[in-house]
Amino acid sequence: MPRPIHAVIHQQALQHNLQVARSCAHQSQVFAVVKADAYGHGIERVYPALKSADGFAFLDLTEGKRLRALGCDKRLLLLEGIFGLEDLFDCAKYGISFAIHAQHQLEWLKTFVQLQPDVQFDVFLKMNSGMNRLGFVPEQYPVAFQELKSIEQVCSISHMTHFSDADGMRLGQEGIEHQQLVFTETIQNLPGKTSLSNSAAILRHHQHIQSDIVRSGIMLYGSSPDYPAHTIDHWNLKPTMSLRSELIAIQ
């Protein structure tokens, strides 16, 4: 940019915020969410500070490729899953796990393993427990699980959902209790690890949620997920970006 404007990324603040996530979810693996180019901070700029995370989650396959190019050997998760059969070639090549949230994705996977029978995938099966964005409804979820389990190239299935009201900000909210109950009852006879908590759930509800893998996103970048109810000072988070410029005139 040909003007004296700079975005300064604070590595120590990123490390600090990751440690806050770990201290809240000390019994869980902590995945760092780097979607949208690490929330606008730049994956290459934040990776040195976040590389101690147990894994990384993102929306775009190119973000996973960039992490591998940086030398990342941690688990990678494509949060919204594949957008076509061809995406599975990259998932296989770069060792990227992916979400399955709809039947058409399952069909792509079945077709792909016939073409590439030697691949192995870790899959996160997503349940729509009440957010109504992505995922199999609870009634369909066990059927999808059994379909995945029948694919021998799927070496692990993790159960995943996303809380709609973990931040406590919505009118008429049911809170997390209803979704947590639906999720727990649906998977009670299905083996596999779980991934429930986003930033708001990590900070606000960690004492009441057992999640094998948590997905820390906005909190890593120094933003309170339930602002204005709580500021970053309340959650002991630190801002990770400063915008700096220069005066060009004084009148």
Side-chain angles (χ1 to χ4, degrees), residues 77-96:
L77 172 59
L78 191 60
L79 286 168
E80 290 180 346
I82 53 177
F83 283 82
L85 185 148
E86 64 277 3
D87 288 349
L88 289 166
F89 288 95
D90 280 336
C91 290
K93 179 178 180 179
Y94 294 96
I96 297 174

PDB file of all heavy atoms in Angstrom, residues 77-96:
ATOM      1  N   LEU A  77      -8.622 -29.309   9.621  1.00  0.00           N
ATOM      2  CA  LEU A  77     -10.053 -29.589   9.509  1.00  0.00           C
ATOM      3  C   LEU A  77     -10.723 -28.570   8.604  1.00  0.00           C
ATOM      4  O   LEU A  77     -10.666 -27.364   8.854  1.00  0.00           O
ATOM      5  CB  LEU A  77     -10.703 -29.565  10.897  1.00  0.00           C
ATOM      6  CG  LEU A  77     -12.231 -29.642  10.947  1.00  0.00           C
ATOM      7  CD1 LEU A  77     -12.749 -30.912  10.280  1.00  0.00           C
ATOM      8  CD2 LEU A  77     -12.722 -29.542  12.394  1.00  0.00           C
ATOM      9  N   LEU A  78     -11.385 -29.070   7.560  1.00  0.00           N
ATOM     10  CA  LEU A  78     -12.175 -28.254   6.650  1.00  0.00           C
ATOM     11  C   LEU A  78     -13.591 -28.171   7.216  1.00  0.00           C
ATOM     12  O   LEU A  78     -14.377 -29.115   7.131  1.00  0.00           O
ATOM     13  CB  LEU A  78     -12.172 -28.893   5.258  1.00  0.00           C
ATOM     14  CG  LEU A  78     -12.710 -28.113   4.077  1.00  0.00           C
ATOM     15  CD1 LEU A  78     -11.924 -26.813   3.863  1.00  0.00           C
ATOM     16  CD2 LEU A  78     -12.669 -28.980   2.826  1.00  0.00           C
ATOM     17  N   LEU A  79     -13.923 -27.009   7.806  1.00  0.00           N
ATOM     18  CA  LEU A  79     -15.105 -26.901   8.660  1.00  0.00           C
ATOM     19  C   LEU A  79     -16.431 -27.104   7.926  1.00  0.00           C
ATOM     20  O   LEU A  79     -17.362 -27.687   8.481  1.00  0.00           O
ATOM     21  CB  LEU A  79     -15.115 -25.531   9.358  1.00  0.00           C
ATOM     22  CG  LEU A  79     -14.122 -25.362  10.502  1.00  0.00           C
ATOM     23  CD1 LEU A  79     -14.023 -23.898  10.896  1.00  0.00           C
ATOM     24  CD2 LEU A  79     -14.535 -26.208  11.698  1.00  0.00           C
ATOM     25  N   GLU A  80     -16.543 -26.596   6.719  1.00  0.00           N
ATOM     26  CA  GLU A  80     -17.784 -26.751   5.968  1.00  0.00           C
ATOM     27  C   GLU A  80     -17.735 -27.935   5.011  1.00  0.00           C
ATOM     28  O   GLU A  80     -18.680 -28.155   4.249  1.00  0.00           O
ATOM     29  CB  GLU A  80     -18.106 -25.467   5.193  1.00  0.00           C
ATOM     30  CG  GLU A  80     -18.505 -24.318   6.097  1.00  0.00           C
ATOM     31  CD  GLU A  80     -18.831 -23.054   5.319  1.00  0.00           C
ATOM     32  OE1 GLU A  80     -18.502 -22.969   4.122  1.00  0.00           O
ATOM     33  OE2 GLU A  80     -19.410 -22.146   5.925  1.00  0.00           O
ATOM     34  N   GLY A  81     -16.646 -28.678   5.065  1.00  0.00           N
ATOM     35  CA  GLY A  81     -16.544 -29.863   4.249  1.00  0.00           C
ATOM     36  C   GLY A  81     -16.272 -29.564   2.790  1.00  0.00           C
ATOM     37  O   GLY A  81     -15.932 -28.447   2.406  1.00  0.00           O
ATOM     38  N   ILE A  82     -16.436 -30.593   1.990  1.00  0.00           N
ATOM     39  CA  ILE A  82     -16.110 -30.518   0.575  1.00  0.00           C
ATOM     40  C   ILE A  82     -17.247 -29.885  -0.215  1.00  0.00           C
ATOM     41  O   ILE A  82     -18.416 -30.010   0.134  1.00  0.00           O
ATOM     42  CB  ILE A  82     -15.793 -31.921   0.031  1.00  0.00           C
ATOM     43  CG1 ILE A  82     -16.928 -32.894   0.361  1.00  0.00           C
ATOM     44  CG2 ILE A  82     -14.473 -32.415   0.605  1.00  0.00           C
ATOM     45  CD1 ILE A  82     -16.745 -34.286  -0.192  1.00  0.00           C
ATOM     46  N   PHE A  83     -16.887 -29.198  -1.309  1.00  0.00           N
ATOM     47  CA  PHE A  83     -17.868 -28.561  -2.192  1.00  0.00           C
ATOM     48  C   PHE A  83     -17.994 -29.306  -3.516  1.00  0.00           C
ATOM     49  O   PHE A  83     -18.709 -28.886  -4.403  1.00  0.00           O
ATOM     50  CB  PHE A  83     -17.487 -27.107  -2.435  1.00  0.00           C
ATOM     51  CG  PHE A  83     -17.824 -26.215  -1.277  1.00  0.00           C
ATOM     52  CD1 PHE A  83     -16.980 -26.134  -0.179  1.00  0.00           C
ATOM     53  CD2 PHE A  83     -18.990 -25.465  -1.281  1.00  0.00           C
ATOM     54  CE1 PHE A  83     -17.302 -25.320   0.892  1.00  0.00           C
ATOM     55  CE2 PHE A  83     -19.312 -24.646  -0.210  1.00  0.00           C
ATOM     56  CZ  PHE A  83     -18.464 -24.570   0.877  1.00  0.00           C
ATOM     57  N   GLY A  84     -17.282 -30.420  -3.636  1.00  0.00           N
ATOM     58  CA  GLY A  84     -17.348 -31.245  -4.824  1.00  0.00           C
ATOM     59  C   GLY A  84     -16.438 -32.434  -4.661  1.00  0.00           C
ATOM     60  O   GLY A  84     -15.530 -32.444  -3.813  1.00  0.00           O
ATOM     61  N   LEU A  85     -16.659 -33.456  -5.460  1.00  0.00           N
ATOM     62  CA  LEU A  85     -15.843 -34.668  -5.379  1.00  0.00           C
ATOM     63  C   LEU A  85     -14.366 -34.356  -5.562  1.00  0.00           C
ATOM     64  O   LEU A  85     -13.508 -34.968  -4.924  1.00  0.00           O
ATOM     65  CB  LEU A  85     -16.332 -35.669  -6.418  1.00  0.00           C
ATOM     66  CG  LEU A  85     -15.690 -37.052  -6.423  1.00  0.00           C
ATOM     67  CD1 LEU A  85     -16.696 -38.119  -6.860  1.00  0.00           C
ATOM     68  CD2 LEU A  85     -14.469 -37.111  -7.349  1.00  0.00           C
ATOM     69  N   GLU A  86     -14.063 -33.389  -6.422  1.00  0.00           N
ATOM     70  CA  GLU A  86     -12.658 -33.080  -6.712  1.00  0.00           C
ATOM     71  C   GLU A  86     -11.904 -32.580  -5.484  1.00  0.00           C
ATOM     72  O   GLU A  86     -10.672 -32.702  -5.412  1.00  0.00           O
ATOM     73  CB  GLU A  86     -12.569 -32.054  -7.847  1.00  0.00           C
ATOM     74  CG  GLU A  86     -13.156 -30.686  -7.546  1.00  0.00           C
ATOM     75  CD  GLU A  86     -14.666 -30.604  -7.743  1.00  0.00           C
ATOM     76  OE1 GLU A  86     -15.279 -31.642  -8.070  1.00  0.00           O
ATOM     77  OE2 GLU A  86     -15.223 -29.509  -7.571  1.00  0.00           O
ATOM     78  N   ASP A  87     -12.615 -32.009  -4.505  1.00  0.00           N
ATOM     79  CA  ASP A  87     -11.946 -31.539  -3.294  1.00  0.00           C
ATOM     80  C   ASP A  87     -11.292 -32.680  -2.526  1.00  0.00           C
ATOM     81  O   ASP A  87     -10.324 -32.466  -1.779  1.00  0.00           O
ATOM     82  CB  ASP A  87     -12.948 -30.834  -2.373  1.00  0.00           C
ATOM     83  CG  ASP A  87     -13.382 -29.476  -2.892  1.00  0.00           C
ATOM     84  OD1 ASP A  87     -12.763 -28.982  -3.851  1.00  0.00           O
ATOM     85  OD2 ASP A  87     -14.348 -28.916  -2.341  1.00  0.00           O
ATOM     86  N   LEU A  88     -11.814 -33.878  -2.687  1.00  0.00           N
ATOM     87  CA  LEU A  88     -11.284 -35.015  -1.938  1.00  0.00           C
ATOM     88  C   LEU A  88      -9.877 -35.386  -2.382  1.00  0.00           C
ATOM     89  O   LEU A  88      -9.111 -35.973  -1.612  1.00  0.00           O
ATOM     90  CB  LEU A  88     -12.226 -36.207  -2.061  1.00  0.00           C
ATOM     91  CG  LEU A  88     -13.554 -36.033  -1.301  1.00  0.00           C
ATOM     92  CD1 LEU A  88     -14.571 -37.069  -1.740  1.00  0.00           C
ATOM     93  CD2 LEU A  88     -13.321 -36.104   0.208  1.00  0.00           C
ATOM     94  N   PHE A  89      -9.509 -35.057  -3.613  1.00  0.00           N
ATOM     95  CA  PHE A  89      -8.132 -35.294  -4.052  1.00  0.00           C
ATOM     96  C   PHE A  89      -7.163 -34.472  -3.211  1.00  0.00           C
ATOM     97  O   PHE A  89      -6.102 -34.954  -2.799  1.00  0.00           O
ATOM     98  CB  PHE A  89      -7.983 -34.963  -5.542  1.00  0.00           C
ATOM     99  CG  PHE A  89      -8.644 -35.943  -6.462  1.00  0.00           C
ATOM    100  CD1 PHE A  89      -9.921 -35.713  -6.942  1.00  0.00           C
ATOM    101  CD2 PHE A  89      -7.987 -37.108  -6.837  1.00  0.00           C
ATOM    102  CE1 PHE A  89     -10.528 -36.618  -7.806  1.00  0.00           C
ATOM    103  CE2 PHE A  89      -8.588 -38.028  -7.697  1.00  0.00           C
ATOM    104  CZ  PHE A  89      -9.864 -37.785  -8.180  1.00  0.00           C
ATOM    105  N   ASP A  90      -7.512 -33.200  -2.964  1.00  0.00           N
ATOM    106  CA  ASP A  90      -6.653 -32.347  -2.133  1.00  0.00           C
ATOM    107  C   ASP A  90      -6.671 -32.805  -0.677  1.00  0.00           C
ATOM    108  O   ASP A  90      -5.638 -32.767   0.001  1.00  0.00           O
ATOM    109  CB  ASP A  90      -7.110 -30.889  -2.229  1.00  0.00           C
ATOM    110  CG  ASP A  90      -6.612 -30.200  -3.490  1.00  0.00           C
ATOM    111  OD1 ASP A  90      -5.591 -30.648  -4.040  1.00  0.00           O
ATOM    112  OD2 ASP A  90      -7.242 -29.225  -3.925  1.00  0.00           O
ATOM    113  N   CYS A  91      -7.827 -33.210  -0.178  1.00  0.00           N
ATOM    114  CA  CYS A  91      -7.897 -33.691   1.207  1.00  0.00           C
ATOM    115  C   CYS A  91      -6.985 -34.896   1.394  1.00  0.00           C
ATOM    116  O   CYS A  91      -6.296 -35.021   2.417  1.00  0.00           O
ATOM    117  CB  CYS A  91      -9.337 -34.052   1.568  1.00  0.00           C
ATOM    118  SG  CYS A  91     -10.435 -32.625   1.723  1.00  0.00           S
ATOM    119  N   ALA A  92      -6.974 -35.784   0.398  1.00  0.00           N
ATOM    120  CA  ALA A  92      -6.113 -36.958   0.480  1.00  0.00           C
ATOM    121  C   ALA A  92      -4.644 -36.564   0.366  1.00  0.00           C
ATOM    122  O   ALA A  92      -3.787 -37.054   1.116  1.00  0.00           O
ATOM    123  CB  ALA A  92      -6.482 -37.945  -0.619  1.00  0.00           C
ATOM    124  N   LYS A  93      -4.330 -35.675  -0.559  1.00  0.00           N
ATOM    125  CA  LYS A  93      -2.940 -35.290  -0.797  1.00  0.00           C
ATOM    126  C   LYS A  93      -2.331 -34.560   0.389  1.00  0.00           C
ATOM    127  O   LYS A  93      -1.167 -34.797   0.749  1.00  0.00           O
ATOM    128  CB  LYS A  93      -2.857 -34.410  -2.052  1.00  0.00           C
ATOM    129  CG  LYS A  93      -1.457 -33.926  -2.376  1.00  0.00           C
ATOM    130  CD  LYS A  93      -1.440 -33.093  -3.650  1.00  0.00           C
ATOM    131  CE  LYS A  93      -0.038 -32.602  -3.984  1.00  0.00           C
ATOM    132  NZ  LYS A  93      -0.012 -31.795  -5.238  1.00  0.00           N
ATOM    133  N   TYR A  94      -3.103 -33.660   1.008  1.00  0.00           N
ATOM    134  CA  TYR A  94      -2.565 -32.813   2.075  1.00  0.00           C
ATOM    135  C   TYR A  94      -2.955 -33.287   3.477  1.00  0.00           C
ATOM    136  O   TYR A  94      -2.632 -32.621   4.455  1.00  0.00           O
ATOM    137  CB  TYR A  94      -3.027 -31.369   1.873  1.00  0.00           C
ATOM    138  CG  TYR A  94      -2.446 -30.737   0.630  1.00  0.00           C
ATOM    139  CD1 TYR A  94      -3.162 -30.721  -0.564  1.00  0.00           C
ATOM    140  CD2 TYR A  94      -1.174 -30.183   0.637  1.00  0.00           C
ATOM    141  CE1 TYR A  94      -2.628 -30.148  -1.718  1.00  0.00           C
ATOM    142  CE2 TYR A  94      -0.626 -29.611  -0.506  1.00  0.00           C
ATOM    143  CZ  TYR A  94      -1.361 -29.607  -1.689  1.00  0.00           C
ATOM    144  OH  TYR A  94      -0.825 -29.052  -2.819  1.00  0.00           O
ATOM    145  N   GLY A  95      -3.610 -34.413   3.583  1.00  0.00           N
ATOM    146  CA  GLY A  95      -3.966 -34.946   4.895  1.00  0.00           C
ATOM    147  C   GLY A  95      -4.941 -34.065   5.648  1.00  0.00           C
ATOM    148  O   GLY A  95      -4.748 -33.767   6.828  1.00  0.00           O
ATOM    149  N   ILE A  96      -5.993 -33.647   4.973  1.00  0.00           N
ATOM    150  CA  ILE A  96      -6.966 -32.727   5.558  1.00  0.00           C
ATOM    151  C   ILE A  96      -8.242 -33.479   5.940  1.00  0.00           C
ATOM    152  O   ILE A  96      -8.850 -34.153   5.098  1.00  0.00           O
ATOM    153  CB  ILE A  96      -7.304 -31.593   4.579  1.00  0.00           C
ATOM    154  CG1 ILE A  96      -6.044 -30.763   4.294  1.00  0.00           C
ATOM    155  CG2 ILE A  96      -8.414 -30.702   5.129  1.00  0.00           C
ATOM    156  CD1 ILE A  96      -6.234 -29.697   3.217  1.00  0.00           C
TER     157      ILE A  96
END
